[in-house]
Amino acid sequence: MSNARATHLTRRGILAAGGALGLGAVLAACGDDDAKSEGSSEATTAAKSGPWTFKDDRGTTVKLDKVPTKIVAFVGVAAALYDYGIEVKGVFGPTKTQDGKADVQAGDMDVSKLTVFGNVWDQFNVEQYAAFAPEVLISTTFDSAGTLWYVPEASKDKIAKLAPSAAISVYDRQLTKPLERMWELAESLGADMKADKVAQSKKDFEAAAERLRKAAKARPEIKVLAGSASQDIFYVSGTNLSIDLEYFKALGVNFVEPPEKAKEEGGWYETLSWENVDKYPADIIMMDDRSSTIQPADITEATWKKLPAVKAGQVIARSPEPILSYAKCTPLLTSLAEAIEKAKKVA
């Protein structure tokens, strides 16, 4: 990813797979306590007086006279904050599907109530954003340079002048770190992190992690491949750089690892033609669940259908851009643990 900013398209292509696997498909296609926890529809920022300060993962400290309420965030960040009871009213990034329904990255938010400044890559309505009068913009970053995810290169300077920004890094670290940072961000914004549901969500995550650790230890022979599908290309992700895969590997999961020399620029993934989709034997395939990618049920390639894991029904969803709340990440651990526990050795 150190080379991910070489050009706008290069950055997009690199982040399309591996850690942020799937946007390549867009290229091909283009064209209380309870109310304040787990994203109640009544969720609002808790009343909090005094100034607001938050040091982000770029080393930037954002200081405001008061806790911001007019927050604009990348949709996945907004969805995570929503789970902690913080209402974000303006978003950018994949929020609605073509039929107007909530995108998978929008989590439990009511997308009909959101102001969306840009729903697809490279789209951000700066004029609308200015009129919104944002107090802060929050996103994730997928590189060491701290590039704000889904903020267009062409308009980033104009956007930066309108409000300070903060970023949570999801680059080359295990999932637990950005989860902790999102927790800290939500708490700084007034979320009640001692609410029963919030506290329980963290315990559930820890229990799910232990289950996955035990499953991986009991079934070390089970090989897992992380993939993503586009019209012409099948992406195979290595575990390096991706927050979910790095964490799963640390818990003992046995992943397919494309050699470094086979990976595309940036080191996130290897691209395969559909004719060569059987290059790596795998017992379980985790497939990118984002709407920008082709989902398993819609893959028509004969070579895909012949894969042992596919024939055995051992294909599960993966969220390369997980919503960074414990409640949303627990099912990711549980799903993989269950798949490993039940898997037949087919590869």
Side-chain angles (χ1 to χ4, degrees):
M1 262 294 283
S2 59
N3 298 321
R5 303 180 71 197
T7 67
H8 192 74
L9 287 177
T10 298
R11 174 172 168 248
R12 177 180 185 176
I14 289 171
L15 293 177
L21 220 148
L23 284 172
V26 179
L27 279 172
C30 54
D32 159 346
D33 283 346
D34 290 342
K36 287 192 290 183
S37 61
E38 301 307 301
S40 161
S41 60
E42 297 298 320
T44 55
T45 304
K48 187 177 179 182
S49 60
W52 181 71
T53 300
F54 183 76
K55 185 174 182 179
D56 76 356
D57 290 338
R58 300 171 300 177
T60 299
T61 299
V62 183
K63 297 181 179 180
L64 298 175
D65 293 336
K66 62 183 181 65
V67 177
T69 56
K70 296 199 74 174
I71 302 168
V72 172
F74 173 69
V75 63
V77 172
L81 291 175
Y82 183 86
D83 283 353
Y84 292 131
I86 302 299
E87 182 180 3
V88 175
K89 299 177 181 179
V91 300
F92 56 96
T95 306
K96 300 179 182 180
T97 57
Q98 290 184 349
D99 58 5
K101 295 181 180 179
D103 188 277
V104 65
Q105 294 192 65
D108 295 331
M109 294 189 295
D110 183 347
V111 298
S112 69
K113 296 181 179 179
L114 298 172
T115 298
V116 184
F117 301 104
N119 196 66
V120 299
W121 182 265
D122 219 22
Q123 179 188 91
F124 196 112
N125 191 319
V126 181
E127 291 75 18
Q128 184 185 24
Y129 178 66
F132 185 83
E135 294 174 303
V136 66
L137 180 149
I138 309 172
S139 190
T140 52
T141 180
F142 277 91
D143 60 29
S144 58
T147 305
L148 294 173
W149 187 229
Y150 262 82
V151 172
E153 186 73 18
S155 56
K156 66 176 184 179
D157 292 339
K158 292 180 180 179
I159 293 169
K161 292 177 181 178
L162 296 170
S165 64
I168 299 296
S169 178
V170 288
Y171 174 67
D172 196 17
R173 58 190 59 193
Q174 293 181 24
L175 177 61
T176 47
K177 184 59 178 180
L179 276 171
E180 290 169 0
R181 295 294 285 141
M182 189 62 73
W183 178 286
E184 292 166 3
L185 174 61
E187 187 171 36
S188 78
L189 291 169
D192 181 3
M193 310 314 283
K194 295 181 180 180
D196 291 343
K197 285 187 178 181
V198 173
Q200 188 60 49
S201 71
K202 190 172 184 179
K203 293 179 181 178
D204 291 343
F205 176 86
E206 293 166 349
E210 184 58 27
R211 178 180 174 181
L212 180 55
R213 188 193 306 275
K214 290 180 178 179
K217 184 176 182 180
R219 303 294 306 280
E221 77 281 7
I222 298 299
K223 200 79 171 179
V224 181
L225 181 149
S228 184
S230 67
Q231 185 174 352
D232 301 313
I233 296 172
F234 185 81
Y235 302 92
V236 179
S237 176
T239 58
N240 191 29
L241 307 180
S242 301
I243 58 172
D244 60 331
L245 302 186
E246 284 200 8
Y247 183 51
F248 299 159
K249 183 179 180 180
L251 291 175
V253 177
N254 182 10
F255 280 101
V256 167
E257 296 281 4
E260 289 301 317
K261 63 180 180 180
K263 294 180 181 178
E264 297 295 317
E265 183 182 8
W268 291 83
Y269 61 92
E270 177 181 359
T271 59
L272 300 176
S273 66
W274 283 104
E275 289 76 13
N276 296 316
V277 73
D278 61 352
K279 180 177 180 179
Y280 298 109
D283 303 293
I284 296 171
I285 301 176
M286 302 176 69
M287 290 294 288
D288 189 335
D289 67 354
R290 291 174 296 177
S291 57
S292 57
T293 68
I294 300 176
Q295 296 305 300
D298 299 319
I299 299 175
T300 59
E301 300 291 340
T303 48
W304 164 262
K305 294 180 179 181
K306 291 179 182 179
L307 294 177
V310 175
K311 293 171 69 174
Q314 296 178 174
V315 178
I316 64 173
R318 175 197 171 207
S319 298
E321 292 183 64
I323 293 172
L324 297 171
S325 70
Y326 289 103
K328 290 295 185 296
C329 288
T330 296
L332 309 181
L333 294 163
T334 302
S335 175
L336 182 53
E338 183 177 4
I340 293 173
E341 290 163 355
K342 296 181 177 180
K344 296 178 183 178
K345 182 64 183 174
V346 296

